[in-house]
């Protein structure tokens, strides 16, 4: 069920609650808090409701349900334990186009009451659309614990100063920067320490200070391979503070969802062999927005400094005197290895790791094949899907064993992740057979055999020969006796 979230102003508006028990009482309390004029219809009332009636805060119809109660009301809550009555109320409300909530009955309700976190004047409302109310409640508990209680007083203080803040900081970017300092700075600290007068004085003083004009900046942010859980806290913060986000096509929608709602998003997508925006175009966009005083996030898949042209972008920014920062991200090799169960180094199988790219003939020609074909090392090949045959041939020519295992990881860490395993000799054929598409990362080396044993995410690896038992494929001894002896020797040395 997809619902439209809405905060209703019920001040002085007549609202009907049908039912007089404890559930009704809780609803009445919430409605009174919002300033509604509450009428309760029920033959009998729970003790709390009796008190409210005696105090003159609610009106009471002391009789069985009558449709005429709905005359002139804005909202209805049906909170009786009688399903028939609840249905009658829902039907009557629907006929009159009055929004109705039937407690704990999403089907009969035309509005839902969310789980609420109250930091008045700030309110956070959570709904699962009736699908999983318990989740909404659990989420509320989690947020309750993380949301500072100074938030409410801070918002109230800011509301009182709103006109003055507006006058002092007319430009939206400057105003935003001011509010951010307010949110994170000394005024909030004073409120946390329960010193409201000092907080107010500090806010007034900060409005008198002269502030330097806002300077635009660029943060180069690594977005990781796709799973939003792999973003760093710094990346998340940068996304929350961004005015403009220039993002690669590789950056997943789930990650863009986490960015500040009103940030401008510009896709400057690049794909192997297909460039939508030229590098110069990207530079020009960064410059334009940073010079306009905006905070630009240049969001890249994986890590900005691993085949991400991050270096070129920083040089450009430096040449144009634009302030910058870099937030590293989890690069595809590291993420794909983890999500495919392939340790990139292993004391028994690989002592070094090489990150290489092989996206075209010329990039293949410049690689040091003698070094790449060495045993007991892992190659992580980026952008290599189109050149797998050439890659295999050159490695074989330079002496890498035909039986060297590989794992090809497509859409690593995402819901659609696929892992194809096999040996170097059949690499291009296997990739072709499984129609592997970009983005895919190739891990080649002894360690790749472990994927069949250590995979834990998504589907099991494809390409495993059904006639070969899994154990035989991953038959590499995990710890050889020699290695274990060596360890023992080392431990003895340390102990000595
Ligand atoms: N800066 C990025 C790499 C950009 S080059 C990083 O650090 O990861 C683009 C290549 O990265 C793709 O062709 C592919 O080889 C690899 N890649 C990026 N994301 C990937 C993913 N989720 N799964 C598999 N490979 C990925």
């Amino acid at each position: 069920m997809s619902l439209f979230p809405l905060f209703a102003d019920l001040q002085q508006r007549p609202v009907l609650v049908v039912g007089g028990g404890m559930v009704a009482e809780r609803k009445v309390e919430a409605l009174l808090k919002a300033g509604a004029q509450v009428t309760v219809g029920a033959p009998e009332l729970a003790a709390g409701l009796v008190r409210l009636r005696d105090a003159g805060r609610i009106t009471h119809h002391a009789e069985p349900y009558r449709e005429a109660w709905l005359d002139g009301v804005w909202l209805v809550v049906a909170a009786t334990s009688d399903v028939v009555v609840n249905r009658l109320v829902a039907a009557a409300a629907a006929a009159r186009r009055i929004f109705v909530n039937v407690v704990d009955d999403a089907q009969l309700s035309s509005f839902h009451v969310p789980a609420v976190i109250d930091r008045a004047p700030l309110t956070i409302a959570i709904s699962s659309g009736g699908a999983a109310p318990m989740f909404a409640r659990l989420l509320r508990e989690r947020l309750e614990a993380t949301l500072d209680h100074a938030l409410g007083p801070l918002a109230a203080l800011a509301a009182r100063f709103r006109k003055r803040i507006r006058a002092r900081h007319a430009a939206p970017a400057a105003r935003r920067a001011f509010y951010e300092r307010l949110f994170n700075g000394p005024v909030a600290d004073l409120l946390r320490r329960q010193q409201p007068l000092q907080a107010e004085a500090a806010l007034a003083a900060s409005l008198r200070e002269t502030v330097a004009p806002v300077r635009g900046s660029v943060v180069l942010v690594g977005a990781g391979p796709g799973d939003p859980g792999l973003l760093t806290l710094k990346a998340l913060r940068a996304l929350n503070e961004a005015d403009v986000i220039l993002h690669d096509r590789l950056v997943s929608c789930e990650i863009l969802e986490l960015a500040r709602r009103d940030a401008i998003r510009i896709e400057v997508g690049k794909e192997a062999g297909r460039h939508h925006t030229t590098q110069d175009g990207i530079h020009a966009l960064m410059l334009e927005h940073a010079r306009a005083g905006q905070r630009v996030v240049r969001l890249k898949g994986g890590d900005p400094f691993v085949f991400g042209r991050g270096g070129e972008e920083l040089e450009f920014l430096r040449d144009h005197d634009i302030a910058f920062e870099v937030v590293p991200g989890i690069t595809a090799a590291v993420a794909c290895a983890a999500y495919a169960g392939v340790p990139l180094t292993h004391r028994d199988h690989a002592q070094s790791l090489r990150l290489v790219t092989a996206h075209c003939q010329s990039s293949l020609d410049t690689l040091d094949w003698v070094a790449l074909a060495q045993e007991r090392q892992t190659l992580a090949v980026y952008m290599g899907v189109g050149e797998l045959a050439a890659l295999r041939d050159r490695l074989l020519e330079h002496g890498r064993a035909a039986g060297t295992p590989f794992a090809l990881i497509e859409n690593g860490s995402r819901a659609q992740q696929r892992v194809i395993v096999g040996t170097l000799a059949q690499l291009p054929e296997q990739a072709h057979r499984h129609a592997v598409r970009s983005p895919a990362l190739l891990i080649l080396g002894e360690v790749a055999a472990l994927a069949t044993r250590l995979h834990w995410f998504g589907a099991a690896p494809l390409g495993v020969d059904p006639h070969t038992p899994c154990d035989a494929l991953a038959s590499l001894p995990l710890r050889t006796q020699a290695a274990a002896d060596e360890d023992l020797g080392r431990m003895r040395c340390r102990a000595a």
Side-chain angles (χ1 to χ4, degrees), residues 17-31:
V17 176
V18 183
M22 305 284 279
V23 178
E25 186 180 325
R26 280 205 307 277
K27 302 292 165 192
V28 168
E29 280 165 0
L31 288 164

Side-chain angles (χ1 to χ4, degrees), residues 225 250 301-303 306-307 331-332 336 382-383 409 411-412 414 439-441:
L250 267 184
D303 180 87
V306 179
F307 305 124
T331 190
C336 291
Y382 288 71
M383 297 179 267
I409 300 117
N411 280 309
R414 301 171 184 207
L441 182 107

Side-chain angles (χ1 to χ4, degrees), residues 13-21 24-42 44-62:
R13 303 213 153 118
V15 172
L16 172 68
V17 176
V18 183
E25 186 180 325
R26 280 205 307 277
K27 302 292 165 192
V28 168
E29 280 165 0
L31 288 164
L32 287 175
K33 206 168 155 196
Q37 275 177 8
V38 181
T39 298
V40 177
E44 279 167 41
L45 296 182
L49 288 172
V50 170
R51 275 196 296 278
L52 288 172
R53 180 198 57 198
D54 293 349
R57 300 197 52 207
I58 59 173
T59 310
H60 180 205
H61 296 308

Side-chain angles (χ1 to χ4, degrees), residues 214-219 243-244 246 283-297 316-317 320-324:
V214 242
R215 262 189 87 202
S217 61
V218 176
V219 196
D243 297 312
V244 179
L246 305 177
H283 290 175
L285 279 169
M286 290 196 299
L287 192 61
E288 177 195 333
H289 291 287
R291 283 201 169 146
Q294 290 177 310
R295 267 172 309 183
V296 180
V297 163
F316 174 84
L317 293 171
H320 290 81
D321 202 25
I322 303 288
F324 59 76

